[in-house]
Amino acid sequence: MSQETATMPHTSSAFVQDFMGYLEDRAPGQPEFHQAVQEVVASLEVVLEAHPEYRKHRILERIVEPERVVQFRIAWMDDEGDIQVNRGYRVQFNSAIGPYKGGLRFHNSVNLSVLKFLGFEQIFKNSLTGLPIGGGKGGSDFSTSGRSDNEVMRFCQSFMTELQRHIGPDTDVPAGDIGVGGREIGYMFGQYRRVTNSFTGTLTGRAPDWGGSLLRPEATGYGCVYFAAEMLQAQGRTLEGMDCLVSGSGNVAQYTTEKLNELGAKVVTLSDSSGWIHDPEGVDNEKLAFVMDLKNVRRGRISEYAERYASATFHPVDDGADGNPLWSVPADAAFPSATQNEIHGIDARHLVENNVQVVAEGANMPTTADGQAIFLEHGVLYGPAKAANAGGVAVSALEMSQASQRLRWTREEVDQKLRSVMSGIHTACVHAATKYGHEGNYIDGSNIAGFTKVADAMIDQGLL
Ligand code: NDP
Ligand code: 2IT
């Protein structure tokens, strides 16, 4: 799957071009960050015209500048006794509406541009949830893949020994993302507790027995499916009977599949960084249990799925000129759930040619600007990441509430709140898009609805 950065839309206005020129001068060589900002700025042009106060207060110039960026060295010893050196980061982007909140990504592709794009998007996503959380993101260029449990533990301890001085339950609350799941959160929380001598809700995604919220592992995938269902329901349709393409096979892909199965849809693809599987008979719950064991316990490759199930075929990664063939499989719905820029223009065209009805983004920024334009042009119900995958961070915020009250809600209570958050986000997107004359455009709706609350808070709180 290609990580090549998206080409920018060709039709951007003078206002967008001017602002992007300013940003590229101030933050050169950060293509993923530029891509994320350009999408938001394009949506906001009409808002700034209607609200000169946002210009007067230079909100755009301020909001693209992180409040703080921490970068640090992580030295640790591998199983051979050799010393390894990685780089750690925390981008504390915006705390106007709450403590910095956002995940940690451990992957060899991590750099400041990637974390700034993720942290920037997190500001608006978190605002959309309606919960009091600011935006942040962090991580390291360390990949857990091929590392032993002991190596992962030593890395996490070294990472947290430095990060702990920058975070806290009312300051900055990290969580998981690519390469950071329950195991890594456990090792980091243990070290945080030891070094600070305190048991607080500073990390979310903890196990329920030591302060985690029920349903946090499921929340991003379930929430993404709830969002797709909301978009369809607004047109009197449902997911039942739909063939669905899911990419990735990690946390988000797994629980997206589980919820789709529950709603009577059929998932016919999954992937990882080595390739993808096609199972026309569907990844039912028994096969999903196999995938969960394969990925979460044995940490194997998705090709093993096709060795185990005769109904499936495995296809190694092939990013030829004709795009990623996963997106050429005919289907009604697509749930990209691996990483950024995995749906390029050519992939979007293949999806549209096959008459895809709905695309809901579990991953962050999985569709390039060209791909987004194709979805909008063809009237696909397109739920962008900020809106569609906000369920994960929303349940993280619910975990923070439970931790500070030292109580625990039932699975049903959390699910009810998650459904209500996703439905609230859908309504907020629809209202904002309609108010500014872009009905049906969930990109504009999510950017505008996410932005205005943060912008107003920044004005209320003075020049910072
Ligand atoms: P996991 O680490 O659990 O799974 C990631 C999956 O994507 C794996 O199958 C992995 O394959 C694949 N993948 C990762 N990077 C690449 C790459 N560069 N090229 C190809 N395949 C890749 O992560 P999550 O499921 O948590 O995250 C998936 C996406 O969802 C990310 O974009 C993340 O930012 C987003 N997200 C996650 C949330 C959460 O709560 N976890 C919340 C909101 C969004 P392999 O195993 O081979 O590495
Ligand atoms: O991208 C995301 O929203 C996440 N990785 C989850 C962040 C969180 O704090 O739960």
Side-chain angles (χ1 to χ4, degrees), residues 1 12 14 67 87 113 174 214 351 372 382 398 447:
M1 191 179 303
S12 58
E67 290 174 8
R87 205 168 276 164
S113 173
L214 293 172
L351 286 161
Q372 290 183 325
Y382 169 64
L398 301 179
N447 288 333

Side-chain angles (χ1 to χ4, degrees), residues 90 101-105 118 122 125-126 136-137 173-178 204-205 216 220 362 364 389-390 392-397:
R90 187 73 182 162
K101 182 84 198 84
L104 295 169
R105 178 176 291 192
L118 289 162
Q122 201 84 44
K125 182 196 304 192
N126 292 4
K137 200 84 187 191
V173 182
D177 194 81
I178 289 176
T204 58
R216 175 62 189 88
T220 309
N364 285 307
N389 74 33
V393 76
V395 173
S396 275

Side-chain angles (χ1 to χ4, degrees), residues 1-3 105-109 117-118 122 125 137 145 175-181 216-217 219-221 247-254 271-275 295-296 300-301 317 336-340 342 361-366 385 389-393 396:
M1 191 179 303
S2 167
Q3 282 230 80
R105 178 176 291 192
F106 290 171
H107 194 270
N108 53 22
S109 60
F117 117 63
L118 289 162
Q122 201 84 44
K125 182 196 304 192
K137 200 84 187 191
S145 143
D177 194 81
I178 289 176
V180 178
R216 175 62 189 88
T220 309
S247 64
S249 49
N251 170 270
V252 178
Q254 291 168 15
S271 69
D272 66 16
S273 53
S274 61
K295 287 292 171 185
N296 309 348
R301 310 314 296 157
V317 166
S337 309
T339 190
Q340 64 269 15
E342 50 169 318
E361 297 184 334
N364 285 307
M365 204 169 74
N389 74 33
V393 76
S396 275

Side-chain angles (χ1 to χ4, degrees), residues 110-126:
V110 163
N111 57 38
L112 195 53
S113 173
V114 168
L115 294 181
K116 281 178 72 180
F117 117 63
L118 289 162
F120 183 71
E121 296 224 323
Q122 201 84 44
I123 303 170
F124 307 96
K125 182 196 304 192
N126 292 4

Side-chain angles (χ1 to χ4, degrees), residues 31-195:
E32 292 86 0
F33 178 51
H34 299 163
Q35 182 185 343
V37 171
Q38 175 152 340
E39 183 207 286
V40 171
V41 170
S43 292
L44 292 180
E45 183 170 2
V46 34
V47 179
L48 297 198
E49 270 159 26
H51 291 271
E53 69 273 21
Y54 293 149
R55 283 208 174 155
K56 180 174 155 240
H57 287 275
R58 305 286 295 268
I59 295 295
L60 270 194
E61 289 81 353
R62 286 159 62 192
I63 212 168
V64 297
E65 200 65 41
E67 290 174 8
R68 188 179 298 107
V69 177
V70 185
Q71 185 188 312
F72 51 95
R73 178 177 70 210
I74 309 147
W76 58 283
M77 196 169 279
D78 68 19
D79 286 347
E80 275 68 55
D82 290 330
I83 290 170
Q84 300 285 336
V85 181
N86 286 97
R87 205 168 276 164
Y89 306 86
R90 187 73 182 162
V91 179
Q92 298 182 327
F93 226 119
N94 193 299
S95 59
I97 64 166
Y100 308 109
K101 182 84 198 84
L104 295 169
R105 178 176 291 192
F106 290 171
H107 194 270
N108 53 22
S109 60
V110 163
N111 57 38
L112 195 53
S113 173
V114 168
L115 294 181
K116 281 178 72 180
F117 117 63
L118 289 162
F120 183 71
E121 296 224 323
Q122 201 84 44
I123 303 170
F124 307 96
K125 182 196 304 192
N126 292 4
S127 164
L128 280 171
T129 65
L131 299 164
I133 39 178
K137 200 84 187 191
S140 173
D141 59 354
F142 167 82
S143 270
T144 53
S145 143
R147 292 294 179 189
S148 71
D149 252 13
N150 277 329
E151 288 179 317
V152 171
M153 181 175 73
R154 285 197 295 277
F155 174 83
C156 288
Q157 290 178 343
S158 186
F159 180 84
M160 186 49 80
T161 303
E162 174 59 30
L163 185 67
Q164 56 86 22
R165 71 187 79 244
H166 306 292
I167 61 178
D170 299 315
T171 305
D172 184 354
V173 182
D177 194 81
I178 289 176
V180 178
R183 174 182 62 168
E184 291 75 19
I185 293 290
Y187 293 148
M188 286 192 278
F189 183 74
Q191 184 73 349
Y192 182 82
R193 186 170 61 71
R194 175 167 72 168
V195 174

Side-chain angles (χ1 to χ4, degrees), residues 12-25 41:
S12 58
S13 69
F15 165 76
V16 175
Q17 281 173 18
D18 281 357
F19 191 81
M20 292 312 295
Y22 160 86
L23 186 80
E24 283 161 26
D25 281 348
V41 170

